[in-house]
Amino acid sequence: MKPETERINWELVRQRMKEAEATLQRAFEPGTEEREAVLLRRAAALAEKKETGRSNQEGTQQVLLLRVGDSVIGLDASQVSQIISFQHWAAVPDAHDALLGVVNVRSELVSLCNPYPYLKTSGGDVSGFARGAVLRHPSLRLALGCHEVLGFVHLAPEEVKENNVFEAAGRLGVLLDANVVLEPFYSLVPA
């Protein structure tokens, strides 16, 4: 051994090992968005159990409400696989008009879709989108962007009026079919 060789600082090695272990542990714990999605599903299940005790839920549709600007969008809860939270997204050059960009969710890219074209409005501010509802599809990972997730409601068929307009929690909303949102992106899925 050379005299100029430094001795190993075992305390520093132990500290680095502890930091590496803590990093690995954080990586395997559920993230904020996954925790929120689980809590939303649990809340929906509890609300459904509570409602079944009061009235007959047959014939109603469970709808997830999303706030987009001043508008409310409703999505059939069975068409949503999870809720995600994000800080920002990366734009995709030459993408479809409805595609805002992509979001990294736990090392998986999710396409972020602009909901304004489906509201038949000229558009709105998408810079404040911090959440998205990932639509259920076997191979596409597409989320409809929104400002806020308002929660779940049950809608009876007679509550949905012309042009899929409904009133829930004192607000007017538009019920969207996830298949209509997904349709422009089907051509991107390999056969």
Side-chain angles (χ1 to χ4, degrees):
M1 203 157 46
K2 296 181 183 178
E4 64 270 353
T5 305
E6 292 184 24
R7 295 181 57 104
I8 296 174
N9 183 344
W10 289 108
E11 190 57 39
L12 183 62
V13 170
R14 278 190 215 82
Q15 181 182 354
R16 286 184 180 167
M17 293 283 288
K18 283 181 183 178
E19 290 172 358
E21 184 179 353
T23 301
L24 276 172
Q25 199 166 11
R26 281 192 306 269
F28 288 109
E29 288 180 1
T32 304
E33 53 276 336
E34 188 176 17
R35 216 171 304 134
E36 288 176 356
V38 168
L39 290 175
L40 276 172
R41 285 195 299 269
R42 287 180 184 170
L46 286 173
E48 192 170 73
K49 284 181 183 177
K50 186 176 181 181
E51 289 296 316
T52 52
R54 279 195 234 151
S55 65
N56 186 2
Q57 292 293 321
E58 287 183 36
T60 64
Q61 177 181 18
Q62 188 177 24
V63 175
L64 175 66
L65 300 179
L66 308 173
R67 182 180 66 80
V68 177
D70 294 330
S71 304
V72 174
I73 289 177
L75 290 169
D76 186 328
S78 67
Q79 294 179 325
V80 177
S81 64
Q82 74 181 93
I83 305 297
I84 59 172
S85 296
F86 49 87
Q87 303 257 331
H88 52 83
W89 64 87
V92 177
D94 300 324
H96 189 277
D97 292 341
L99 186 66
L100 290 173
V102 292
V103 178
N104 185 347
V105 179
R106 292 181 307 280
S107 300
E108 182 180 4
L109 291 180
V110 176
S111 301
L112 185 64
C113 186
N114 185 352
Y116 284 109
Y118 304 103
L119 292 172
K120 306 231 185 316
T121 62
S122 59
D125 182 25
V126 296
S127 65
F129 284 173
R131 296 186 181 252
V134 179
L135 304 178
R136 193 175 300 280
H137 189 273
S139 58
L140 285 174
R141 295 285 293 159
L142 183 76
L144 193 64
C146 67
H147 291 99
E148 181 182 6
V149 176
L150 301 173
F152 293 95
V153 295
H154 285 276
L155 293 178
E158 61 272 9
E159 293 178 288
V160 180
K161 307 296 182 205
E162 188 177 337
N163 295 327
N164 288 334
V165 174
F166 64 90
E167 184 177 349
R171 299 177 86 167
L172 287 178
V174 176
L175 189 61
L176 290 182
D177 182 0
N179 293 315
V180 172
V181 178
L182 290 166
E183 187 176 359
F185 301 97
Y186 284 146
S187 64
L188 305 175
V189 179

